[in-house]
Every structure is written in structure tokens, then in C-alpha cells.
Amino acid sequence: MHRPKQRTYAFQGVARRLGCGKFSPEERPHAMSTPLPSPAFDRPFRPRFHLGATRMDCGEEPRVDSYDAAEQATGWPLFDYSACDPTIDQAAINRWLARSVLDGKDILHIGAGNSSVARLASGRANRVVALTVSQAEFEHARNLGLPDYAIHLMNKHATAFADRFGSDEFDLVLDNNLTSFVCCQRHAERYLATLTGLLKADGTIVTHWAGMQWTLDVGVGDVEPAWQLDETKLSSIADAYDLHVRREEDLFFLSRIPA
């Protein structure tokens, strides 16, 4: 299968190579949504944190196909990473996983890509659960036939994700694009509250600087620039959910355990 050429751009003064489907600030795409029937949106919304975003409530329910218009607006693969090498941020997370003790760990991976996390953790972790909005990534993951690997075709901002796992808990939650696809403050907070609720008492959310700084924007409904995170913004989010932030180079860890 032909792979799109990787792109390099100056990022914080450093030339960084992006995986297929990721773009420099001049080339970034965005998410669309569909009408939301939930009565919860009839209630006044009061934000738990403020990063400067102005779109509090998009009034629509995110879906798996919410990003189709953005995909069609470009000639690049935006959401199907099934045949791509891991992006620089995912690769950094994978290197950290490779040197970490994963025995008995339950891992939630947001954005399955080519299932690199599941393949890396196979035979080491207790299980890996992954989400994707890409049908190709979903089928690729299922075709791997890895034991203790479950893949879900689901939008992470949707009610379905918030409701899917119930009282389930994870040791590690991996998302290198925590706010890159945010359509509004309400959905961002619902997602972040869900992640926090899925953490075990000593569980950790892992993200990366490159993904924190990247937002989807190709003129097909735009993710507000306010959702491009720096360390201060990430700390504001963490404070809202009683989490602490720890940094190791370009990796960031959010947990209930003080840094």
C-alpha cells in the first residue's frame, strides 16, 4: 500500500518529522458533528476550566462520521493510520511503554492507529482496549488476532464512549491528542471527565507535547486555537479533575499521585 510522504516542520525550534496524516500548522484539518438529541444539553453549562475557548456548546452529538467532511476537504489521509508508521508523538509514547513494566496492566489507547500499542504490549500487559473513528483501523486491529486486545469504532467525545465502560478501570490511558479534535468546551469536559473516571486509583493519563500543540483545522469547521495546549493549560485541566502533572522531556503524565 502506498504511504503518503512524511512531512517535517519547525516545532518549538526543532525539526520534527510527522507521521502520515499529521500536518504542519498551515495544513491542519477539523471535526464536524451532527444534531444532538440528548436532553442533558438543555441544562445550563458551567465550565470547569477556562483556556480561552469561546464555543461552549456546539449543540451536536459527535459521531464516528463527524470527521468525514474534513477528510474529504484534503487529499491526505487524516484519520486512517492503519498503514502508517507511528507519528512522532505516538512513537515517543511507544518508547516509554517499551521500557516500562506492563505486567498485569490494563491499557486504554485512544486513537488505535496501526495498533502499535497493542502489538508492543501483547504478552506483557493484561489487556489493551483501543478506540478509533477509522473503519480501516478498526478492521486492521481485528485482523491482527491479538489476544486480550479489544477495538471499538467510536468517537471519544460521544455519549457512547462516556457510557461504554461503566465501572471499568485502567492503569494507563494513552492519548497523544487530548484536545486536538475538540468541537466545544462541553464535549471536551465530558471526555476528560470520562478519562478521569476510568483511571484506577494509581492510574495515569499519558500524552505528548507535539499532540498537545496540534489542532485540526482545514476550514471545514475549525477547532479553536485555544485548544492548542501548553504546560500551563494542561495544568489547568488537571486541576479541574484533581489530577497532578508530571513531565519527562516531551511526555506528560496526569495522575492523582502528586508529582
Side-chain angles (χ1 to χ4, degrees):
M1 179 179 292
H2 173 71
R3 296 185 181 184
K5 185 176 180 181
Q6 289 189 324
R7 297 177 169 269
T8 302
Y9 75 97
F11 184 82
Q12 293 290 355
V14 180
R16 293 184 179 269
R17 183 170 299 278
L18 303 182
C20 59
K22 272 207 174 173
F23 295 80
S24 68
E26 295 78 18
E27 300 175 347
R28 299 176 287 199
H30 171 74
M32 302 285 291
S33 300
T34 49
L36 174 79
S38 173
F41 279 68
D42 295 333
R43 298 195 300 266
F45 175 64
R46 295 179 176 83
R48 298 179 65 166
F49 58 85
H50 299 274
L51 304 183
T54 60
R55 190 180 302 124
M56 293 292 102
D57 185 348
C58 68
E60 301 174 337
E61 174 67 6
R63 299 169 41 145
V64 168
D65 62 1
S66 291
Y67 309 107
D68 286 0
E71 185 108 53
Q72 294 166 8
T74 71
W76 309 97
L78 305 182
F79 304 102
D80 175 15
Y81 288 72
S82 58
C84 299
D85 292 331
T87 55
I88 56 169
D89 40 3
Q90 184 62 62
I93 292 173
N94 289 357
R95 288 192 296 273
W96 176 79
L97 287 172
R99 62 178 183 266
S100 299
V101 176
L102 300 182
D103 296 350
K105 300 292 186 184
D106 296 313
I107 301 173
L108 176 62
H109 185 203
I110 309 298
N114 67 357
S115 293
S116 60
V117 168
R119 290 184 281 114
L120 180 64
S122 182
R124 299 173 60 202
N126 180 50
R127 61 172 174 146
V128 175
V129 177
L131 261 66
T132 181
V133 294
S134 165
Q135 183 69 37
E137 288 186 359
F138 178 72
E139 293 174 358
H140 173 75
R142 293 207 302 180
N143 290 338
L144 289 174
L146 294 176
D148 303 316
Y149 180 34
I151 181 76
H152 299 272
L153 189 63
M154 188 179 296
N155 189 315
K156 71 181 186 180
H157 293 113
T159 303
F161 174 61
D163 296 341
R164 174 64 179 81
F165 297 100
S167 59
D168 208 351
E169 293 182 329
F170 295 88
D171 299 283
L172 295 173
V173 175
L174 315 175
D175 187 351
N176 51 315
N177 295 112
L178 272 179
T179 59
S180 299
F181 305 97
V182 167
C183 52
C184 66
Q185 180 93 17
R186 179 189 285 272
H187 285 135
E189 293 195 14
R190 180 168 69 185
Y191 173 61
L192 294 164
T194 300
L195 288 194
T196 304
L198 290 174
L199 285 178
K200 293 183 180 180
D202 58 350
T204 303
I205 298 170
V206 184
T207 192
H208 189 277
W209 178 259
M212 288 164 54
Q213 288 278 292
W214 183 78
T215 52
L216 209 57
D217 179 6
V218 285
V220 185
D222 294 332
V223 171
E224 293 184 85
W227 292 108
Q228 295 172 7
L229 302 180
D230 54 24
E231 193 164 357
T232 299
K233 288 183 176 180
L234 187 65
S235 294
S236 295
I237 291 173
D239 288 345
Y241 299 96
D242 296 322
L243 300 175
H244 303 273
V245 178
R246 177 173 60 87
R247 181 174 186 173
E248 290 183 12
E249 297 181 345
D250 285 346
L251 289 173
F252 289 82
F253 305 85
L254 289 76
S255 71
R256 298 185 181 92
I257 301 172

